[in-house]
Amino acid sequence: MNSTSSAHASNPAGPGRRTPHHEPPGWSGGVVDSDGLSGMVSSIGPVPPSNSVFSRLLPPHQAHHIPLEFTGSGSEYFRIWVVNLLLTLVTLGVYHPWAKVRRLRYFYGHTEVAGQGLDFHGEPKKMLRGMLLTGVLFAAYSHALEVSGIAALVAALLVAALTPLLLRGALQFRLANTSWRGLRFAFAGSPRSAYTALTPPLLLGLVPLGLGVYLSAPGQPAQPTSDVASIAMVLAYLVLGVSLPYFFWRLKKYQHDHYRLAQLQSELRVGVGPVYGVYLRAAGLLAVLPLTFAALVWLGGAAGAAGSAKWSVTLWAFAGMIFAFGGLYLYIVVLPYFQARQQNLVWTKTGNRYLRFRSDLSARAYILLQLKNYLLILCTAGLYWPWAAVANRRMRVAAVTLVSRIDLDELYLALKPRGGDAAAEMADDVFGFDLGL
């Protein structure tokens, strides 16, 4: 799909007609506003050139709506997948970065925006460094667990201290090595903001570990002290669970507030309340399973007490099936529901004055797709996996629409680097972490 044709198709002014000239409000004070909402949403200078494309913003109701497309096929990806799998097994995992690059280039290349696919420029050798570092950290923590609780706690503190830097490095690497029509994406988050976003959940997660080490240390503490420590551990888990949506929101704010395409930077405009709403609805779905199990067990017992052995056995058999296969419910229903809702919430609220996203992924359709995928994967002994991955990607990408208040061809010409591409140069400089984000 060509962006120009898309623009004409969605332009109420009609093909060939100039859209109205609109002076953007908010070009003052060095901070670019977004339709009257406070906050810096773009790093473009406060005074745009008089002939700049950014001074010709379309009104929101005339914005171009450009659906994203995924054009890959399961049969094509199967060939990549099976070669990756075999070479990774033969090389005992060393080939993994090369396999990941092949996979990302396929999926990115077939994710099209206005008829142009994305490109991934990551180099496997740089990704190998990130994989080795992750492996070293994991091995050190595993070894520390075997040595002593204190060693495990020290190792966990070291990993927690490095996690914000690793996350930032991974985001920089992934974005700096992704482009559209030659324009490199970038990640502008600072180390300080990474630590601000991640330190509270990391520290809170370390509290139960520290208390566990304290309680299991030789020469156990006296009864009142150990009771207080046990209660504190339970409270720490409860606080962590209740705070999980808040921490998720902080992480997404850190990520989506710092995505950049050339000079354009995105912002996530959503509060923590809607995030709690998504989590609560997913938790409600999750609660259906244990509640149903408990009801069947109780009804089975009641039927047995009433002398109906047939109904008792039947109800307990259903309860046993739920106990045995309940995990599938998590992967087929709860997790897809959460993924669909959080995609719609986060990406619909991401953008800036010029570009926004809109996601309308049907949770029901996505759950049915997972049911189909798992059944076919089971029936084919796993060989359907590439088709499942492609189907997931196609549905999630097709649900997203790019809303642009500027013609994409004009935007590309305005953002196209005249000299060296700073983002491309940064991609060569950033430390090649890739943590599978």
Side-chain angles (χ1 to χ4, degrees):
M1 179 175 58
N2 182 281
S3 65
T4 303
S5 61
S6 171
H8 288 164
S10 58
N11 185 359
R17 296 181 60 182
R18 287 182 64 118
T19 52
H21 179 90
H22 293 271
E23 290 295 338
W27 292 105
S28 61
V31 174
V32 181
D33 196 6
S34 176
D35 281 339
L37 300 175
S38 61
M40 183 171 181
V41 298
S42 171
S43 59
I44 287 180
V47 183
S50 58
N51 60 347
S52 168
V53 64
F54 300 109
S55 65
R56 300 196 297 274
L57 280 177
L58 293 173
H61 67 278
Q62 292 184 359
H64 307 300
H65 291 249
I66 303 153
L68 273 60
E69 293 181 284
F70 183 73
T71 59
S73 71
S75 57
E76 286 178 349
Y77 180 56
F78 176 79
R79 292 191 286 271
I80 296 173
W81 175 77
V82 73
V83 171
N84 284 347
L85 181 63
L86 291 175
L87 290 178
T88 301
L89 290 174
V90 168
T91 60
L92 302 178
V94 175
Y95 186 74
H96 176 72
W98 282 264
K100 190 168 186 176
V101 166
R102 293 186 70 207
R103 175 171 59 84
L104 289 176
R105 284 178 179 166
Y106 180 78
F107 278 97
Y108 279 37
H110 287 84
T111 300
E112 296 188 352
V113 181
Q116 298 287 329
L118 302 176
D119 287 316
F120 182 70
H121 309 274
E123 296 180 13
K125 290 182 179 178
K126 291 185 176 181
M127 297 173 72
L128 181 61
R129 294 185 308 193
M131 189 183 81
L132 292 176
L133 177 63
T134 305
V136 168
L137 290 175
F138 179 76
Y141 181 70
S142 300
H143 181 66
L145 279 175
E146 297 175 357
V147 173
S148 69
I150 296 294
L153 183 59
V154 172
L157 281 169
L158 177 63
V159 172
L162 290 176
T163 296
L165 286 180
L166 293 175
L167 174 67
R168 176 177 176 267
L171 289 169
Q172 276 190 315
F173 182 81
R174 180 63 65 88
L175 270 295
N177 283 296
T178 303
S179 68
W180 176 74
R181 296 181 69 176
L183 297 175
R184 295 272 186 155
F185 293 87
F187 183 73
S190 67
R192 180 178 180 180
S193 54
Y195 276 99
T196 301
L198 294 179
T199 298
L202 290 171
L203 288 180
L204 192 56
L206 287 172
V207 170
L209 178 60
L211 290 172
V213 171
Y214 173 72
L215 289 172
S216 60
Q220 293 186 355
Q223 188 66 35
T225 306
S226 63
D227 289 344
V228 170
S230 299
I231 293 172
M233 185 187 297
V234 173
L235 288 176
Y237 277 122
L238 287 176
V239 172
L240 191 60
V242 172
S243 306
L244 194 58
Y246 172 70
F247 295 141
F248 177 82
W249 172 73
R250 287 175 66 100
L251 175 62
K252 289 301 174 185
K253 280 287 289 179
Y254 174 65
Q255 292 177 296
H256 288 245
D257 277 355
H258 297 101
Y259 292 147
R260 291 186 62 178
L261 175 62
Q263 302 102 311
L264 293 178
Q265 184 165 325
S266 66
E267 183 188 37
L268 177 61
R269 285 185 177 274
V270 67
V272 70
V275 178
Y276 267 93
V278 172
Y279 268 82
L280 286 175
R281 286 191 286 273
L285 273 179
L286 184 61
V288 168
L289 196 65
L291 290 176
T292 304
F293 174 79
L296 287 172
V297 170
W298 182 81
L299 288 173
S308 178
K310 180 181 177 182
W311 274 107
S312 178
V313 171
T314 301
L315 291 169
W316 281 347
F318 277 115
M321 291 175 63
I322 290 177
F323 183 80
F325 302 106
L328 290 176
Y329 176 78
L330 176 65
Y331 288 101
I332 294 176
V333 177
V334 180
L335 190 58
Y337 175 85
F338 175 78
Q339 290 172 332
R341 293 303 184 196
Q342 73 94 13
Q343 172 176 314
N344 292 342
L345 176 65
V346 171
W347 281 105
T348 300
K349 299 297 183 180
T350 296
N352 54 37
R353 171 186 294 273
Y354 317 100
L355 302 171
R356 301 203 65 83
F357 293 95
R358 179 170 296 166
S359 176
D360 190 23
L361 178 59
S362 166
R364 180 174 177 272
Y366 197 55
I367 289 172
L368 291 175
L369 178 63
Q370 302 315 306
L371 178 60
K372 171 190 168 187
N373 285 343
Y374 276 98
L375 285 174
L376 290 175
I377 288 172
L378 183 65
C379 293
T380 60
L383 291 178
Y384 187 74
W385 181 267
W387 283 268
V390 166
N392 284 343
R393 179 80 171 195
R394 180 180 293 113
M395 181 173 285
R396 296 188 69 160
V397 169
V400 179
T401 300
L402 176 65
V403 182
S404 175
R405 295 177 65 186
I406 304 173
D407 182 272
L408 286 189
D409 288 332
E410 292 186 37
L411 184 70
Y412 167 74
L413 292 175
L415 297 180
K416 184 179 179 182
R418 302 300 188 266
D421 190 338
E425 293 167 2
M426 187 182 74
D428 290 333
D429 292 337
V430 294
F431 196 37
F433 288 117
D434 186 273
L435 305 180
L437 297 172

